[in-house]
Amino acid sequence: MEGLAGVVAGSSAICNTHGGLCYRGYPIEELALRAEFEEVAYLLLKGDLPTEGALREFKQALQEYRELPCIVQQVLEALPISTHPMEVLKAGVVALGCAQPEALDFSNQHACALQILGALPAILIYWHHYHKHGKRVSLGSELGMAHYLLEYLRGKKPLEIEIKAMDSMLTLYAEHEFNASTYANRITASTLSDLYSCVVTGIGTLKGRLHGGANELAIAFILRFHSVEEALQEVDRLFANKEKIMGFGHRIYKHADPRSAVGFELVQQLKHLGDPKLFEIAVAIRDHVKQKKGLPDNIDFFGGLIYHYLRLERLYYTPFFVLSRVVGWMAHAFEQRAHNRIIRPTSAYIGAPKRPFVRA
Ligand code: COA
């Protein structure tokens, strides 16, 4: 029962991980390779795929929310340059919630969700340019989210293959039933708190290196090596010391993470854009870990390498996870609200027996 492993902690109609990973019944492989991220976001939030017209309106609303309220820009400007971008996203969401609060009866919950999803990439982009280049960039754009992020963070037009890879990554990370951050977000929703607080809870939980932080560490690990031999020796040393290797293992996927196969396909398409030796080292590490410990790689192992080949800053890898998983968090918050009972488990007490109060 430690870590609530194997405990069914509630029911949900959003995502199924049994017999393959599906969002609202659609297999992740098909969504990641054939759908646009915005279509997937609509599907998760609303329950069904959009019509052409509904998707157009949805995208337009997201694009409008890229223009950040003044107070959000001021908060972002006031943050120290050393702030971790995960904290930047948290601060940005808090400021958004102050600028346009959610109504107590949640009657504007869908508008708030669109605002959060539309504004989050703009928050990262605004902060990036303000603190790195001292520039207040104009955020309005009609680009899709994947294209917007690549173009505005790297400063030049991305290739079609890069946009597709980024778009697929956003889909792969968008939802994953009762993972730690989603469950934490559902607990916040169950107290009938507002959507901004639910999302901030999610960001804080995702930041940890056993959850969202793993992709940054996985690529940092791969980049340490100049040869396959050097990498495998280090893997063996870590195993001998009982240390964990980031990007491997999973609470529910003991044989294979279905998202990893898609990630592998993407990285194969991208490797010619950077140093292909890294790909060779990564594949060797993956095979060695599987062979020695039976541990499968999870999405974060090749995920980090994909972002590296896309020439994106490593500090932003976990924030990209937020920009996508926020969809899952908000879908779960809505589902929790629709059938709510406060989530409040109980604990088995293992402390001191009852005793009288005597000052030490
Ligand atoms: N490297 C080395 N050994 C690992 C490992 C890893 N990444 N992940 C799990 N193991 C080992 C554990 O040490 C444990 O060994 P033991 O039985 O000898 O004690 C065994 O595999 C079972 O793992 P466990 O820690 O019980 O799995 P969990 O379900 O509690 O934790 C994770 C799941 C994801 C937190 C864990 O696999 C991990 O820390 N992975 C690295 C971080 C990561 O990639 N996170 C992203 C997840 S998408």
Side-chain angles (χ1 to χ4, degrees):
M1 236 284 259
E2 275 203 12
L4 298 182
V7 172
V8 175
S11 49
S12 172
I14 302 170
C15 168
N16 189 4
T17 55
H18 302 283
L21 171 61
C22 292
Y23 296 168
R24 305 252 188 220
Y26 295 98
I28 189 65
E29 296 79 4
E30 290 186 33
L31 292 175
L33 297 173
R34 292 181 46 207
E36 271 180 274
F37 170 67
E38 282 84 347
E39 266 177 301
V40 174
Y42 185 103
L43 168 72
L44 288 167
L45 289 169
K46 308 241 181 194
D48 269 314
L49 285 169
T51 60
E52 216 176 288
L55 181 61
R56 201 171 36 246
E57 271 176 37
F58 184 73
K59 284 168 135 179
Q60 208 173 348
L62 294 181
Q63 287 156 9
E64 279 164 17
Y65 282 121
R66 288 175 183 163
E67 300 287 1
L68 299 174
C70 221
I71 176 196
V72 178
Q73 297 188 7
Q74 284 166 356
V75 166
L76 295 175
E77 289 178 16
L79 296 174
I81 192 162
S82 57
T83 309
H84 191 284
M86 287 294 276
E87 301 302 325
V88 172
L89 294 185
K90 252 197 271 173
V93 174
V94 170
L96 273 182
C98 297
Q100 286 161 48
E102 188 176 27
L104 278 179
D105 62 1
F106 307 141
S107 51
N108 60 347
Q109 65 173 8
H110 284 285
C112 291
L114 284 174
Q115 190 207 30
I116 293 169
L117 183 59
L120 270 169
I123 289 171
L124 189 64
I125 289 166
Y126 189 84
W127 181 82
H128 170 83
H129 287 285
Y130 186 80
H131 286 289
K132 298 252 155 139
H133 312 121
K135 278 202 281 190
R136 293 188 170 97
V137 283
S138 144
L139 297 159
S141 152
E142 291 182 359
L143 299 173
M145 173 140 28
H147 191 159
Y148 181 59
L149 280 166
L150 286 171
E151 188 157 324
Y152 278 64
L153 286 174
R154 300 190 326 190
K156 61 176 195 175
K157 278 202 184 319
L159 303 169
E160 220 26 70
I161 187 183
E162 294 178 311
I163 299 169
K164 184 61 208 121
M166 189 68 185
D167 197 73
S168 299
M169 287 295 279
L170 290 169
T171 291
L172 289 176
Y173 277 109
E175 161 59 7
H176 213 204
E177 49 120 287
F178 283 7
N179 60 88
S181 57
T182 302
Y183 199 62
N185 144 90
R186 267 190 98 120
I187 292 175
T188 304
S190 83
T191 68
L192 300 185
S193 187
D194 66 289
L195 197 61
Y196 301 93
S197 300
C198 296
V199 169
V200 169
T201 302
I203 299 175
T205 312
L206 187 75
K207 189 179 169 201
R209 65 182 181 281
L210 295 188
H211 192 4
N215 57 15
E216 288 179 29
L217 295 170
I219 183 64
F221 185 68
I222 297 167
L223 286 170
R224 276 167 52 190
F225 308 112
H226 298 100
S227 70
V228 165
E229 297 68 39
E230 201 189 332
L232 301 193
Q233 264 177 20
E234 180 60 6
V235 169
D236 287 339
R237 191 190 68 77
L238 292 173
F239 280 156
N241 288 348
K242 297 211 170 303
E243 285 179 55
K244 282 193 170 172
I245 303 171
M246 294 297 123
F248 288 90
H250 199 277
R251 172 58 61 81
I252 56 174
Y253 301 126
K254 295 305 175 194
H255 302 293
D257 177 341
R259 301 165 300 177
S260 292
V262 182
F264 188 66
E265 206 171 318
L266 298 175
V267 84
Q268 279 181 300
Q269 291 167 14
L270 295 176
K271 65 178 195 271
H272 68 279
L273 300 176
D275 179 1
K277 182 90 193 159
L278 291 175
F279 175 73
E280 196 192 317
I281 292 173
V283 170
I285 294 174
R286 177 197 67 182
D287 294 345
H288 194 65
V289 172
K290 181 84 181 168
Q291 190 209 344
K292 284 222 128 175
K293 281 269 179 181
L295 278 173
D297 55 306
N298 59 52
I299 175 64
D300 287 327
F301 186 64
F302 284 113
L305 191 54
I306 290 168
Y307 290 140
H308 180 80
Y309 281 140
L310 290 175
R311 282 168 293 118
L312 291 160
E313 282 194 39
R314 202 184 313 159
L315 263 185
Y316 296 161
Y317 295 2
T318 315
F320 294 149
F321 196 161
V322 172
L323 271 37
S324 147
R325 183 58 58 84
V326 69
V327 174
W329 294 335
M330 297 191 296
H332 278 272
F334 294 163
E335 189 179 59
Q336 181 66 37
R337 286 173 174 181
H339 311 277
N340 192 52
R341 185 166 183 209
I342 192 167
I343 300 173
R344 200 297 190 195
T346 190
S347 65
Y349 181 66
I350 54 164
K354 193 170 184 182
R355 48 190 163 162
F357 171 70
V358 182
R359 270 210 178 93

